């Protein structure tokens, strides 16, 4: 027995070292992509110019770097990390690589709430945020209630989530078709998911909300780790599974809805980031930190590609993330079919 425990301890120590090493590498990649994002634009700024601008130097180009490019880079970092965390939360809950917010209908629900705020109300930032949050929570509640027979895990929840997602997508299309032309054009453009035009005024409240959600997740991280080892282990260590699952669902919905309220529904980051992070870390579960950092890398990289692909006209980042995520989804489905 002691030999088994010792082996498990050594395996856990190696896994933690790999995770820390991977996290350090991902942080360096994020820093490199961030610097590239600050340099790239209508005119190229050298790294020295970027550091001068960040240091407070005055000048027209420095204002562009600080007021236009920096908010976009930080939005890609923070929103990508939030989507990666949301995907890791729901994939841990369902124990299924398909169990991400954009697959099981939470993104579509948040978009429904935002569409109602745009078409029925005046569509202010506060209304978008509230509408996205309410829509995401309602979608999550619908998936949960419909899957009660199988519990909040497994293939049943994913299949029901896909059905809810399809239904909400149809509802969203109906709302757009019934809206006035100008409102419909704005809603369709926003639905692609974009970081174009993001400024500091758009980010202060979302960053504060995501910071609070991150603190709550950190406080529950030990319980999440115990639950990932199995329900029996979690129960014996005193973890209240139902309460933990409800808290994690609310945190995951909060992350998804906050991003959607600012940038629109950005697809496939939450689906791909946790699985890529798990494979890079070679972890048996889905570690939260690699998932968050991988999400930041994916969204930052996708946004740079979106800016450069048809320059000087920037594409919505959701177009690029959907293309990347579609290829990833085909690969994942092929692998799952071969396994069965």
């Amino acid at each position: 027995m002691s030999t088994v425990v010792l082996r498990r301890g050594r395996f856990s120590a190696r896994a933690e070292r790999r995770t820390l090493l991977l996290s350090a590498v991902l942080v360096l990649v994020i820093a490199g992509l961030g610097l590239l994002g600050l340099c790239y634009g209508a005119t190229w700024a050298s790294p020295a110019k970027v550091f001068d601008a960040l240091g407070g130097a005055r000048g027209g180009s420095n204002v562009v770097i600080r007021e236009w490019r920096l908010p976009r880079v930080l939005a890609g970092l923070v929103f990508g990390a939030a989507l990666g965390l949301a995907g890791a939360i729901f994939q841990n809950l369902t124990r299924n690589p398909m169990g991400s917010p954009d697959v099981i209908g939470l993104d579509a629900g948040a978009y429904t709430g935002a569409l109602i705020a745009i078409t029925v109300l005046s569509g202010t930032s506060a209304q978008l945020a509230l509408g996205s949050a309410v829509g995401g929570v309602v979608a999550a509640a619908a998936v949960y209630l419909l899957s009660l027979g199988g519990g909040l895990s497994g293939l049943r929840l994913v299949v029901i989530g896909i059905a809810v997602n399809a239904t909400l997508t149809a509802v969203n299309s109906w709302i757009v078709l019934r809206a006035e032309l100008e409102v419909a054009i704005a809603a369709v453009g926003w639905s692609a998911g974009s970081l174009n035009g993001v400024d500091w005024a758009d980010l202060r409240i979302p960053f504060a909300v995501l910071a609070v959600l991150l603190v709550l997740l950190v406080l529950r991280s030990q319980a999440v780790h115990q639950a990932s080892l199995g329900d029996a282990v979690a129960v014996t260590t005193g973890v209240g599974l139902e309460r933990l699952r409800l808290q994690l669902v609310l945190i995951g919905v909060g992350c998804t809805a906050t991003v959607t309220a600012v940038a629109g529904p950005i697809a496939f980051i939450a689906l791909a980031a946790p699985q890529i992070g798990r494979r890079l870390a070679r972890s048996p579960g889905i570690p939260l930190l690699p998932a968050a950092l991988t999400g930041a890398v994916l969204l930052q990289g996708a946004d740079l590609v979106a800016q450069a692909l048809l320059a000087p006209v920037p594409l919505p980042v959701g177009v690029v993330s959907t293309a990347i995520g579609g290829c990833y989804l085909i690969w994942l489905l092929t692998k799952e079919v071969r396994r069965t």
Side-chain angles (χ1 to χ4, degrees):
M1 181 69 176
S2 60
T3 303
V4 174
V5 172
L6 182 60
R7 288 178 178 174
R8 288 181 178 176
R10 289 176 177 173
F11 176 78
S12 177
R14 287 197 299 271
E16 289 180 0
R17 285 196 296 269
R18 285 197 301 268
T19 299
L20 290 175
L21 179 60
L22 172 64
S23 299
V25 172
L26 290 174
V27 167
L28 292 177
V29 174
I30 288 170
L33 289 173
L35 178 59
L36 181 59
L38 293 174
C39 293
Y40 184 81
T43 58
W44 176 264
S46 67
K49 186 71 173 178
V50 168
F51 290 128
D52 286 343
L54 296 180
R58 296 182 179 181
S61 60
N62 294 331
V63 172
V64 169
I65 292 172
R66 286 196 302 266
E67 301 299 325
W68 294 0
R69 298 182 188 177
L70 184 57
R72 182 175 189 143
V73 167
L74 291 180
L77 192 163
V78 175
F79 290 169
L83 292 174
L85 280 176
I89 286 172
F90 285 103
Q91 289 179 19
N92 272 317
L93 284 174
T94 61
R95 295 175 190 170
N96 191 307
M98 294 289 292
S100 71
D102 42 357
V103 173
I104 62 176
L106 305 190
D107 273 12
Y111 181 40
T112 303
L115 276 179
I116 293 174
I118 293 173
T119 56
V120 177
L121 305 175
S122 55
T124 64
S125 298
Q127 291 170 351
L128 281 173
L130 181 60
S132 297
V134 172
V137 169
V138 170
V143 174
Y144 175 77
L145 292 174
L146 291 172
S147 62
L148 277 179
L152 193 62
S153 62
L155 182 62
R156 178 184 175 88
L157 185 144
V158 173
V159 173
I160 290 175
I162 292 173
V164 170
N165 185 45
T167 302
L168 289 173
T169 300
V171 171
N172 294 340
S173 298
W174 179 80
I175 293 175
V176 171
L177 289 173
R178 297 283 295 178
E180 295 181 2
L181 181 59
E182 294 81 2
V183 175
I185 292 174
V188 170
W190 183 76
S191 70
S194 176
L195 299 179
N196 298 337
V198 171
D199 58 23
W200 291 116
D202 299 320
L203 299 180
R204 292 188 181 96
I205 294 178
F207 279 9
V209 172
L210 291 174
V212 171
L213 294 173
L214 177 60
V215 171
L216 294 176
L217 184 59
V218 169
L219 293 176
R220 301 297 287 158
S221 60
Q222 183 61 33
V224 173
H225 175 69
Q226 292 170 342
S228 67
L229 299 176
D231 292 353
V233 175
V235 171
T236 55
T237 54
V239 176
L241 285 177
E242 292 303 320
R243 183 175 61 184
L244 174 65
R245 286 167 176 165
L246 177 60
Q247 292 170 347
L248 291 178
V249 166
L250 292 177
I251 292 173
V253 169
C255 289
T256 300
T258 302
V259 175
T260 302
V262 178
I266 301 176
F268 288 109
I269 300 294
L271 174 69
Q275 291 299 313
I276 293 174
R278 181 182 71 83
R279 284 171 168 79
L280 290 175
R282 289 185 288 174
S283 172
I286 301 177
L288 298 179
L289 182 57
L293 295 177
T294 304
V297 169
L298 289 178
L299 188 53
Q300 282 185 304
D303 189 47
L304 284 171
V305 173
Q307 293 181 65
L309 204 58
L310 295 179
V313 178
L315 284 173
V317 67
V319 174
V320 178
S321 69
T322 300
I324 297 172
C327 297
Y328 168 80
L329 183 59
I330 292 172
W331 173 82
L332 180 62
L333 290 173
T334 303
K335 187 172 182 180
E336 291 297 315
V337 168
R338 288 177 180 174
R339 182 180 299 176
T340 56

